[in-house]
Coordinates of all heavy atoms in Angstrom, one line a residue:
V256 N 1.1 -8.3 7.1 CA 1.4 -6.8 7.1 C 0.2 -6.2 7.8 O -0.9 -6.6 7.7 CB 1.6 -6.3 5.7 CG1 0.4 -6.5 4.8 CG2 2.0 -4.8 5.7
Y257 N 0.5 -5.1 8.5 CA -0.5 -4.4 9.3 C -0.6 -2.9 8.9 O 0.3 -2.3 8.3 CB -0.2 -4.4 10.8 CG 0.1 -5.8 11.3 CD1 1.3 -6.3 11.4 CD2 -1.0 -6.6 11.8 CE1 1.6 -7.6 11.9 CE2 -0.8 -7.8 12.3 CZ 0.5 -8.4 12.3 OH 0.7 -9.6 12.9
L258 N -1.8 -2.4 9.1 CA -2.0 -0.9 9.0 C -2.7 -0.4 10.3 O -3.9 -0.7 10.4 CB -2.8 -0.6 7.8 CG -2.9 0.9 7.5 CD1 -1.6 1.5 7.1 CD2 -4.0 1.2 6.4
Q259 N -2.0 0.2 11.1 CA -2.5 0.8 12.3 C -3.1 2.2 12.0 O -2.3 3.1 11.5 CB -1.5 1.0 13.4 CG -2.0 1.6 14.7 CD -3.0 0.8 15.4 OE1 -2.9 -0.4 15.6 NE2 -4.1 1.5 15.8
M260 N -4.4 2.5 12.2 CA -5.0 3.7 11.8 C -5.5 4.4 13.0 O -6.4 3.9 13.7 CB -6.2 3.4 10.8 CG -5.7 2.7 9.6 SD -7.1 2.5 8.4 CE -8.2 1.4 9.4
N261 N -5.0 5.6 13.3 CA -5.4 6.4 14.5 C -6.0 7.7 14.0 O -5.9 8.1 12.9 CB -4.2 6.6 15.4 CG -3.6 5.4 16.0 OD1 -4.3 4.4 16.2 ND2 -2.3 5.4 16.2
S262 N -6.7 8.3 14.9 CA -7.3 9.6 14.6 C -8.1 9.6 13.3 O -8.0 10.5 12.5 CB -6.3 10.7 14.5 OG -5.6 10.8 15.8
L263 N -9.0 8.6 13.2 CA -9.7 8.4 12.0 C -10.7 9.5 11.7 O -11.3 10.0 12.6 CB -10.4 7.0 12.0 CG -9.5 5.8 11.8 CD1 -10.1 4.6 12.2 CD2 -9.1 5.8 10.3
K264 N -10.9 9.8 10.4 CA -11.8 10.8 9.9 C -12.8 10.2 9.0 O -12.5 9.2 8.4 CB -11.0 11.9 9.2 CG -9.8 12.5 10.0 CD -9.0 13.5 9.1 CE -7.9 14.1 9.8 NZ -7.0 15.0 9.0
P265 N -14.0 10.9 8.8 CA -14.9 10.3 7.8 C -14.4 10.1 6.4 O -14.8 9.2 5.8 CB -16.0 11.4 7.9 CG -16.0 11.9 9.2 CD -14.5 12.0 9.6
E266 N -13.4 11.0 6.0 CA -12.9 10.8 4.7 C -11.9 9.6 4.6 O -11.5 9.3 3.5 CB -12.1 12.1 4.3 CG -11.1 12.6 5.4 CD -11.7 13.7 6.2 OE1 -12.9 13.6 6.7 OE2 -11.1 14.8 6.4
D267 N -11.7 8.9 5.7 CA -10.9 7.7 5.6 C -11.8 6.5 5.3 O -11.3 5.4 5.0 CB -10.2 7.4 6.9 CG -9.2 8.4 7.3 OD1 -8.4 8.8 6.4 OD2 -9.1 8.8 8.5
T268 N -13.1 6.7 5.2 CA -14.1 5.6 4.9 C -13.8 5.1 3.5 O -13.8 5.9 2.5 CB -15.5 6.1 5.0 OG1 -15.8 6.5 6.4 CG2 -16.5 5.1 4.5
A269 N -13.5 3.8 3.4 CA -13.2 3.2 2.1 C -13.1 1.7 2.3 O -13.0 1.2 3.4 CB -11.9 3.8 1.5
L270 N -13.0 1.0 1.2 CA -12.5 -0.4 1.1 C -11.0 -0.4 1.1 O -10.4 0.2 0.2 CB -13.1 -1.1 -0.1 CG -12.7 -2.6 -0.2 CD1 -13.4 -3.4 0.9 CD2 -13.1 -3.2 -1.5
Y271 N -10.4 -1.0 2.1 CA -8.9 -1.1 2.2 C -8.4 -2.4 1.7 O -9.0 -3.4 2.2 CB -8.5 -0.8 3.6 CG -8.6 0.7 4.0 CD1 -9.8 1.3 4.2 CD2 -7.4 1.4 4.2 CE1 -9.9 2.6 4.6 CE2 -7.5 2.7 4.6 CZ -8.7 3.3 4.8 OH -8.8 4.7 5.2
Y272 N -7.4 -2.4 0.9 CA -6.9 -3.7 0.5 C -5.4 -3.6 0.4 O -4.8 -2.6 0.2 CB -7.5 -4.2 -0.8 CG -7.6 -3.2 -1.9 CD1 -6.6 -3.1 -2.9 CD2 -8.7 -2.3 -2.0 CE1 -6.7 -2.2 -4.0 CE2 -8.8 -1.3 -3.0 CZ -7.8 -1.3 -4.0 OH -7.9 -0.4 -5.0
C273 N -4.7 -4.8 0.5 CA -3.3 -4.9 0.4 C -2.8 -5.4 -0.9 O -3.6 -6.1 -1.6 CB -2.7 -5.7 1.6 SG -3.2 -7.4 1.7
A274 N -1.6 -5.2 -1.2 CA -1.0 -5.6 -2.5 C 0.5 -6.0 -2.3 O 1.1 -5.4 -1.4 CB -1.1 -4.5 -3.5
A275 N 1.0 -6.8 -3.1 CA 2.3 -7.3 -3.0 C 3.0 -7.2 -4.4 O 2.4 -7.4 -5.4 CB 2.4 -8.8 -2.6
T276 N 4.3 -6.9 -4.4 CA 5.1 -6.8 -5.6 C 6.5 -7.4 -5.4 O 7.1 -7.1 -4.4 CB 5.2 -5.3 -6.1 OG1 6.0 -5.3 -7.3 CG2 5.8 -4.4 -5.1
L277 N 6.9 -8.1 -6.4 CA 8.3 -8.6 -6.4 C 9.3 -7.6 -7.0 O 10.5 -7.7 -6.7 CB 8.4 -9.9 -7.3 CG 7.9 -11.2 -6.7 CD1 7.9 -12.3 -7.7 CD2 8.8 -11.6 -5.5
S278 N 8.8 -6.7 -7.8 CA 9.7 -5.9 -8.6 C 10.1 -4.5 -8.0 O 10.7 -3.7 -8.7 CB 9.0 -5.6 -10.0 OG 7.8 -4.9 -9.8
A279 N 9.8 -4.3 -6.8 CA 10.1 -3.0 -6.2 C 11.7 -2.9 -6.1 O 12.3 -3.7 -5.5 CB 9.5 -2.9 -4.8
P280 N 12.2 -1.8 -6.6 CA 13.6 -1.5 -6.4 C 13.9 -1.2 -5.0 O 13.1 -0.9 -4.2 CB 13.9 -0.3 -7.3 CG 12.6 0.4 -7.4 CD 11.6 -0.7 -7.3
Y281 N 15.2 -1.4 -4.6 CA 15.6 -1.2 -3.2 C 16.0 0.2 -2.8 O 16.1 0.5 -1.6 CB 16.8 -2.2 -2.9 CG 16.4 -3.6 -2.8 CD1 16.2 -4.4 -3.9 CD2 16.2 -4.2 -1.5 CE1 15.8 -5.7 -3.8 CE2 15.8 -5.5 -1.4 CZ 15.6 -6.3 -2.5 OH 15.3 -7.6 -2.4
H282 N 16.2 1.0 -3.8 CA 16.8 2.3 -3.6 C 15.9 3.5 -3.5 O 16.3 4.6 -3.0 CB 17.9 2.6 -4.7 CG 17.3 2.8 -6.0 ND1 16.9 1.7 -6.8 CD2 17.0 3.9 -6.8 CE1 16.4 2.1 -7.9 NE2 16.5 3.4 -8.0
D283 N 14.6 3.3 -3.8 CA 13.7 4.5 -3.7 C 12.2 3.9 -3.6 O 12.0 2.7 -3.5 CB 13.8 5.4 -5.0 CG 13.5 4.7 -6.3 OD1 12.8 3.7 -6.3 OD2 13.9 5.3 -7.3
W284 N 11.3 4.9 -3.6 CA 9.9 4.6 -3.4 C 9.1 4.8 -4.7 O 7.9 4.9 -4.7 CB 9.2 5.4 -2.3 CG 9.8 5.1 -1.0 CD1 10.7 5.8 -0.3 CD2 9.5 4.0 -0.2 NE1 11.0 5.2 0.9 CE2 10.3 4.1 1.0 CE3 8.7 2.9 -0.3 CZ2 10.2 3.2 2.0 CZ3 8.6 1.9 0.7 CH2 9.4 2.1 1.9
S285 N 9.8 4.8 -5.9 CA 9.1 5.1 -7.1 C 8.1 4.0 -7.5 O 7.2 4.3 -8.4 CB 10.2 5.2 -8.2 OG 10.9 4.0 -8.4
W286 N 8.1 2.9 -6.9 CA 7.3 1.8 -7.3 C 5.9 1.8 -6.7 O 5.0 1.0 -7.1 CB 8.0 0.4 -6.9 CG 8.3 0.4 -5.5 CD1 9.5 0.8 -4.9 CD2 7.6 -0.1 -4.4 NE1 9.5 0.6 -3.5 CE2 8.3 0.0 -3.2 CE3 6.3 -0.7 -4.3 CZ2 7.8 -0.4 -2.0 CZ3 5.8 -1.1 -3.1 CH2 6.6 -1.0 -1.9
V287 N 5.7 2.6 -5.7 CA 4.5 2.4 -4.8 C 3.2 2.6 -5.5 O 2.2 2.0 -5.1 CB 4.6 3.3 -3.5 CG1 5.9 3.0 -2.7 CG2 4.5 4.8 -3.8
R288 N 3.1 3.5 -6.5 CA 1.9 3.8 -7.2 C 1.9 3.1 -8.6 O 1.0 3.4 -9.4 CB 1.7 5.3 -7.4 CG 1.4 6.0 -6.0 CD 1.2 7.5 -6.2 NE 0.9 8.1 -4.9 CZ 1.7 8.5 -4.0 NH1 3.0 8.4 -4.2 NH2 1.3 9.0 -2.9
G289 N 2.8 2.1 -8.8 CA 2.8 1.4 -10.0 C 2.1 0.0 -9.9 O 1.1 -0.1 -9.1
E290 N 2.5 -0.9 -10.7 CA 1.8 -2.2 -10.8 C 2.2 -3.1 -9.7 O 3.3 -3.1 -9.2 CB 2.0 -2.9 -12.1 CG 1.5 -2.1 -13.3 CD 1.6 -2.8 -14.6 OE1 2.1 -3.9 -14.6 OE2 1.2 -2.2 -15.6
Y291 N 1.3 -4.0 -9.3 CA 1.5 -5.0 -8.2 C 1.2 -6.4 -8.8 O 0.4 -6.6 -9.7 CB 0.7 -4.7 -7.0 CG 1.2 -3.5 -6.2 CD1 1.0 -2.2 -6.7 CD2 1.9 -3.7 -5.0 CE1 1.5 -1.1 -6.0 CE2 2.4 -2.6 -4.3 CZ 2.2 -1.3 -4.8 OH 2.7 -0.3 -4.1
D292 N 1.8 -7.4 -8.2 CA 1.6 -8.8 -8.6 C 0.4 -9.5 -8.0 O -0.2 -10.3 -8.7 CB 2.9 -9.6 -8.3 CG 4.1 -9.1 -9.0 OD1 4.1 -9.1 -10.2 OD2 5.1 -8.7 -8.3
Y293 N 0.0 -9.1 -6.8 CA -1.1 -9.7 -6.1 C -1.9 -8.7 -5.3 O -1.3 -7.7 -4.8 CB -0.6 -10.8 -5.2 CG 0.2 -11.9 -5.9 CD1 1.6 -11.9 -5.8 CD2 -0.5 -12.9 -6.5 CE1 2.3 -12.9 -6.5 CE2 0.2 -13.9 -7.2 CZ 1.6 -13.9 -7.2 OH 2.3 -14.9 -7.8
W294 N -3.2 -8.9 -5.2 CA -4.1 -8.0 -4.5 C -5.0 -8.9 -3.6 O -5.4 -10.0 -4.0 CB -5.0 -7.2 -5.5 CG -4.2 -6.2 -6.3 CD1 -3.6 -6.5 -7.5 CD2 -4.0 -4.8 -6.0 NE1 -3.0 -5.3 -7.9 CE2 -3.3 -4.3 -7.1 CE3 -4.4 -4.0 -4.9 CZ2 -2.9 -2.9 -7.1 CZ3 -4.0 -2.7 -5.0 CH2 -3.3 -2.2 -6.0
G295 N -5.4 -8.3 -2.5 CA -6.4 -8.9 -1.7 C -7.8 -8.4 -2.1 O -7.9 -7.6 -3.0

């Protein structure tokens, strides 16, 4: 998975990490700020 970041600002400074989940429903985005199964 990729994250293309353009027009970067100082406030974008951070440690960026990815996460994976099996339990995401298919019909909405309600899961995105919930729990994940794996983290980098």
Side-chain angles (χ1 to χ4, degrees):
V256 62
Y257 304 95
L258 185 68
Q259 178 67 46
M260 305 184 295
N261 299 327
S262 301
L263 283 162
K264 306 173 181 179
E266 50 262 47
D267 295 317
T268 295
L270 182 68
Y271 284 71
Y272 47 97
C273 64
T276 179
L277 282 171
S278 59
Y281 286 80
H282 62 283
D283 62 20
W284 296 102
S285 62
W286 54 274
V287 302
R288 293 177 174 87
E290 295 185 1
Y291 288 76
D292 298 299
Y293 301 98
W294 295 85

